[in-house]
């Protein structure tokens, strides 16, 4: 028995060595072989567009990275993020991230103006002079564009810069005779005590 095992041992070694390739291929070589075919040159539509060349939403689609490379933010960012990156490259602050004017106290006659492209915007008041009290968050909207800070009394007014027409109103009511399951009734904020204050008393 022992003699038979010693006789079969060399045969097993020969079979095992024959199964192993003579030259081993490393992982790096495999990657190189995968991308051996050079990528086709990108078309003019895939070139990087500057901020001034952005005209439509389709212009905010990125060209993507070359095969085998890790994409940068400039190569993969889309939509508003891409618009912001392209604007920063040309020194344009797309979203106007400057702090609010804290050099004076806003009044009803001369409020601190806050520009907004949306129907509603949140702003933080830190008082006058700046940082004289903790940040108090206020909400200004198209329906109620003026708000007063309850701590320092500074008045803020929203300047709406977006579309003047209602983006959610497409005339569906004329065809459906009112709201249906596809166009539900718009959300209405719950009433608070502030809703029962007379308008003439609201900004005293």
């Amino acid at each position: 028995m022992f003699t038979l095992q010693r006789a079969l041992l060399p045969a097993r070694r020969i079979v095992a060595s024959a199964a192993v390739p003579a030259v081993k291929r490393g992982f790096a070589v495999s990657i190189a072989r995968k991308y051996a075919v050079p990528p086709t040159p990108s078309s003019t539509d895939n070139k990087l567009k500057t901020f001034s060349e952005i005209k439509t939403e389709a212009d905010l689609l990125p060209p993507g990275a070359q095969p085998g490379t890790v994409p940068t933010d400039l190569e993969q960012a889309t939509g508003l993020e891409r618009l912001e990156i392209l604007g920063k490259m040309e020194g344009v602050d797309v979203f106007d991230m400057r702090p609010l004017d804290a050099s004076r106290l806003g009044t009803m006659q001369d409020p601190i103006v806050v520009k907004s492209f949306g129907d509603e915007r949140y702003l933080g008041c830190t008082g006058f002079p700046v940082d004289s009290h903790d940040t108090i968050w206020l909400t200004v909207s198209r329906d109620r564009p003026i708000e007063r800070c309850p701590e320092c009394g500074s008045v803020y007014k929203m300047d709406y810069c977006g579309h003047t027409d209602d983006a959610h109103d497409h005339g569906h009511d004329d065809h459906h005779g009112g709201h249906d399951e596809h166009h539900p009734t718009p959300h209405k904020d719950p009433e608070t005590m502030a809703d029962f204050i007379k308008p003439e008393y609201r900004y005293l």
Side-chain angles (χ1 to χ4, degrees):
M1 184 70 176
F2 180 72
T3 307
L4 180 61
Q5 288 180 351
R6 293 189 61 183
L8 293 177
L9 185 60
R12 290 178 182 172
R13 289 178 180 172
I14 293 173
V15 173
S17 62
V20 178
V23 179
K24 294 183 179 180
R25 188 173 69 204
F27 181 75
V29 179
S30 300
I31 295 297
R33 285 170 58 92
K34 180 178 181 182
Y35 298 110
V37 179
T40 57
S42 58
S43 63
T44 56
D45 293 336
N46 289 336
K47 72 180 184 68
L48 290 175
K49 294 188 177 181
T50 62
F51 180 77
S52 58
E53 294 176 333
I54 302 299
K55 304 299 181 186
T56 64
E57 292 183 7
D59 296 334
L60 293 175
L61 295 176
Q66 293 296 326
T69 62
V70 177
T72 62
D73 288 343
L74 183 61
E75 292 173 333
Q76 70 177 353
T78 62
L80 292 178
E81 181 185 3
R82 182 168 192 79
L83 185 66
E84 183 180 17
I85 292 175
L86 294 176
K88 286 181 178 180
M89 292 174 62
E90 297 187 14
V92 179
D93 188 1
V94 175
F95 295 111
D96 191 13
M97 299 299 288
R98 296 172 299 174
L100 294 176
D101 182 13
S103 63
R104 62 185 180 87
L105 189 71
T107 63
M108 290 299 297
Q109 293 74 26
D110 188 17
I112 296 175
V113 177
V114 182
K115 295 184 179 296
S116 176
F117 284 95
D119 294 340
E120 188 177 74
R121 181 164 180 177
Y122 300 98
L123 58 94
C125 177
T126 59
F128 174 76
V130 66
D131 292 334
S132 59
H133 63 69
D134 292 336
T135 303
I136 294 181
W137 296 99
L138 308 172
T139 305
V140 288
S141 63
R142 293 178 65 180
D143 297 330
R144 188 173 173 177
I146 299 176
E147 276 294 336
R148 185 194 296 271
C149 176
E151 183 73 21
C152 65
S154 185
V155 179
Y156 299 90
K157 181 179 181 180
M158 187 181 87
D159 180 17
Y160 180 69
C161 305
H163 293 290
T164 55
D165 57 339
D166 189 357
H168 299 288
D169 183 14
H170 304 289
H172 294 296
D173 292 344
D174 298 336
H175 303 289
H176 298 291
H179 293 283
D180 55 16
E181 65 275 3
H182 299 293
H183 305 91
T185 303
H187 171 73
K188 186 178 185 302
D189 291 332
E191 291 185 346
T192 64
M193 291 304 297
D195 296 313
F196 298 97
I197 299 176
K198 292 183 178 180
E200 57 267 26
Y201 295 151
R202 179 170 290 171
Y203 301 115
L204 291 178

